[in-house]
Amino acid sequence: MKKGFLLVPLLTSAVLLGGCGNSQVSHSTHQNNAVKTNKVADQNNQKNQSSATAATTTTASDQQEQSSWNQSKNQKLASFMQKWGTTMNQQYKSYGPGNNTNFYGIAFPQQFDQTLLKVDNQTVSMKWSNNGTGNADYNVVAIYCDSDTAQPMNEHLYLFTFHNGNPVVLITQQTNGNVTKSANNGPDDGLYFKETANQDLSNGFKAIANGKTPTVNGQKANNSNNSSQTDDSKYPPQNFPNEMQGTWYEYDKSANSVATIKIDGNKLTEENGSTVEQHKVTDSTVGTKAENNTQHPNWIFTLDSNGWLQIRGWDQDNGTSTYLKVSNENVNGQSVPVLTRTDDSDNATPTSFYKSKDLAMQQKDTTYPDQSLSE
């Protein structure tokens, strides 16, 4: 009985021991499965994170390329300007905050707010912008100027801007005049810009702004506009005489008001805003200045004609010419410079221009002996 009694606990122990062994195996299996599951989950998480990172990087890259302006586009413009400048026989430097221009004493972008800025004769606002956006009429993202290397009085200042969200290249070659903004500015004051007519330059900037690679092909004649500079190296701008520079006023009898002309460097701008540009020729043969004369409808050349400056159209080979001359005349006992404009038509009537509106009004009925071409 005692032995029998002893067998039961042993069997029970064996059963218990066997049960414990199965439990350990099952627990181990669960642990292994859990480890495998966790590894798969970790791998999936890593893949998802990598995909998310790649997607984020791609999106950021796309957004940067699609933004109006950024550092990458700025570098593309620098490379483009070097190549384009070579085709124009010009050398340009880049300017920006902390590195201002010295364009006839004007420091941009620092003096944007202090300068009376005009585009196509309309007063506008300009601000520097790193990304092409802002509240100004023209948000400037880059400035290039050849003031360090250009011939005297032949500097070019280019502003690369965004106007109403569109890429626009502005240019000025203005050499003088009152450009400082003040409460007493006259109608002719200001620094005058216009959109460049050079299609290589305009299209290059647009391509860069749109995330594309620009090309430099050299501007073709049929892509030119009134202010094309393609032939500047062959027929460089030639300034009007120093005594003619500035703003002149005349009394217009037909309108009973004072009108103006402005002579600035090689440009003569009329009251209505039309401008002619004087360029130098190496010969005096009329009509043989350029291979494609009609490419420059607003270009002129001048000849010295017995003390008068004879003005002829760039492709003019006959017809009436305009003449200009500055002479010192006696006005109220003082010697006053008077700019006379006339032509060689049969019924020519000389026009007198003065340096002030008051003089133009006071002398509106005055003529001078030396205003005739025959004198």
Side-chain angles (χ1 to χ4, degrees), residues 232-279:
D232 275 10
S233 58
K234 189 174 181 180
Y235 306 104
Q238 177 172 293
N239 292 339
F240 285 89
N242 289 335
E243 64 269 20
M244 293 184 181
Q245 298 286 329
T247 300
W248 296 85
Y249 302 88
E250 61 134 342
Y251 176 74
D252 184 351
K253 292 183 179 179
S254 61
N256 191 29
S257 63
V258 175
T260 64
I261 61 170
K262 184 175 183 179
I263 299 178
D264 181 15
N266 74 316
K267 298 178 178 60
L268 188 155
T269 303
E270 301 283 355
E271 174 80 10
N272 62 6
S274 64
T275 299
V276 294
E277 300 180 5
Q278 181 183 189
H279 285 254

Side-chain angles (χ1 to χ4, degrees), residues 276-326:
V276 294
E277 300 180 5
Q278 181 183 189
H279 285 254
K280 185 177 182 180
V281 295
T282 56
D283 60 75
S284 59
T285 304
V286 177
T288 61
K289 279 74 59 187
E291 292 78 5
N292 299 297
N293 295 340
T294 54
Q295 175 180 342
H296 306 297
N298 74 322
W299 280 21
I300 60 172
F301 72 101
T302 60
L303 301 172
D304 184 10
S305 179
N306 296 323
W308 291 85
L309 192 67
Q310 181 185 9
I311 299 176
R312 312 211 70 174
W314 192 246
D315 58 348
Q316 179 181 353
D317 56 4
N318 54 49
T320 301
S321 293
T322 299
Y323 293 79
L324 294 177
K325 181 177 71 172
V326 174

Side-chain angles (χ1 to χ4, degrees), residues 177-233:
N178 179 24
V179 303
T180 303
K181 188 186 300 183
S182 74
N184 300 318
N185 284 131
D188 300 315
D189 292 341
L191 183 61
Y192 288 75
F193 287 88
K194 58 187 174 185
E195 185 172 353
T196 180
N198 188 293
Q199 293 300 301
D200 277 349
L201 187 59
S202 179
N203 291 338
F205 180 51
K206 290 177 182 177
I208 295 172
N210 292 324
K212 299 177 182 179
T213 300
T215 57
V216 180
N217 298 317
Q219 188 174 9
K220 298 178 182 179
N222 58 3
N223 286 335
S224 299
N225 204 328
N226 289 357
S227 26
S228 169
Q229 301 163 28
T230 307
D231 293 335
D232 275 10
S233 58

Side-chain angles (χ1 to χ4, degrees), residues 10 20 48 57 78 85 90 112 128 137-138 146 166 168 188 221 261 273 291 327 364:
L10 289 174
C20 288
N48 291 336
T57 302
Q90 297 162 355
F112 277 148
W128 179 266
D137 295 321
Y138 291 84
D146 62 351
N166 299 314
V168 175
D188 300 315
I261 61 170
E291 292 78 5
S327 57
K364 62 183 181 180

Side-chain angles (χ1 to χ4, degrees), residues 1-304:
M1 290 293 296
K2 292 182 180 178
K3 290 182 181 179
F5 181 79
L6 291 174
L7 288 175
V8 175
L10 289 174
L11 290 172
T12 304
S13 299
V15 173
L16 292 172
L17 289 172
C20 288
N22 290 336
S23 177
Q24 289 175 345
V25 172
S26 177
H27 180 67
S28 175
T29 301
H30 286 310
Q31 284 182 328
N32 291 336
N33 289 338
V35 170
K36 291 179 180 179
T37 301
N38 289 337
K39 287 183 177 178
V40 171
D42 289 342
Q43 290 173 351
N44 289 336
N45 286 336
Q46 290 175 355
K47 289 180 180 179
N48 291 336
Q49 289 176 353
S50 298
S51 298
T53 301
T56 301
T57 302
T58 302
T59 301
S61 177
D62 290 343
Q63 288 175 345
Q64 184 182 26
E65 198 62 29
Q66 291 172 5
S67 63
S68 296
W69 201 251
N70 53 46
Q71 187 58 35
S72 174
K73 293 179 180 182
N74 202 47
Q75 291 173 353
K76 284 184 180 180
L77 179 61
S79 176
F80 171 76
M81 284 301 292
Q82 182 178 8
K83 296 175 183 177
W84 179 80
T86 300
T87 68
M88 301 295 291
N89 295 319
Q90 297 162 355
Q91 297 180 22
Y92 288 89
K93 289 185 178 180
S94 174
Y95 298 88
N99 179 30
N100 292 293
T101 62
N102 183 9
F103 179 73
Y104 301 112
I106 301 173
F108 284 157
Q110 178 181 326
Q111 294 181 336
F112 277 148
D113 289 341
Q114 291 80 43
T115 306
L116 181 60
L117 301 162
K118 294 187 177 181
V119 175
D120 295 332
N121 296 320
Q122 299 297 316
T123 301
V124 300
S125 61
M126 295 182 186
K127 296 282 188 182
W128 179 266
S129 172
N130 290 323
N131 58 14
T133 63
N135 298 323
D137 295 321
Y138 291 84
N139 297 295
V140 183
V141 296
I143 301 173
Y144 280 83
C145 186
D146 62 351
S147 54
D148 287 351
T149 55
Q151 294 294 322
M153 307 301 287
N154 191 31
E155 300 176 16
H156 304 79
L157 174 63
Y158 287 101
L159 302 183
F160 294 81
T161 76
F162 284 86
H163 175 56
N164 294 328
N166 299 314
V168 175
V169 183
L170 300 177
I171 178 177
T172 184
Q173 288 184 266
Q174 184 173 322
T175 58
N176 58 14
N178 179 24
V179 303
T180 303
K181 188 186 300 183
S182 74
N184 300 318
N185 284 131
D188 300 315
D189 292 341
L191 183 61
Y192 288 75
F193 287 88
K194 58 187 174 185
E195 185 172 353
T196 180
N198 188 293
Q199 293 300 301
D200 277 349
L201 187 59
S202 179
N203 291 338
F205 180 51
K206 290 177 182 177
I208 295 172
N210 292 324
K212 299 177 182 179
T213 300
T215 57
V216 180
N217 298 317
Q219 188 174 9
K220 298 178 182 179
N222 58 3
N223 286 335
S224 299
N225 204 328
N226 289 357
S227 26
S228 169
Q229 301 163 28
T230 307
D231 293 335
D232 275 10
S233 58
K234 189 174 181 180
Y235 306 104
Q238 177 172 293
N239 292 339
F240 285 89
N242 289 335
E243 64 269 20
M244 293 184 181
Q245 298 286 329
T247 300
W248 296 85
Y249 302 88
E250 61 134 342
Y251 176 74
D252 184 351
K253 292 183 179 179
S254 61
N256 191 29
S257 63
V258 175
T260 64
I261 61 170
K262 184 175 183 179
I263 299 178
D264 181 15
N266 74 316
K267 298 178 178 60
L268 188 155
T269 303
E270 301 283 355
E271 174 80 10
N272 62 6
S274 64
T275 299
V276 294
E277 300 180 5
Q278 181 183 189
H279 285 254
K280 185 177 182 180
V281 295
T282 56
D283 60 75
S284 59
T285 304
V286 177
T288 61
K289 279 74 59 187
E291 292 78 5
N292 299 297
N293 295 340
T294 54
Q295 175 180 342
H296 306 297
N298 74 322
W299 280 21
I300 60 172
F301 72 101
T302 60
L303 301 172
D304 184 10

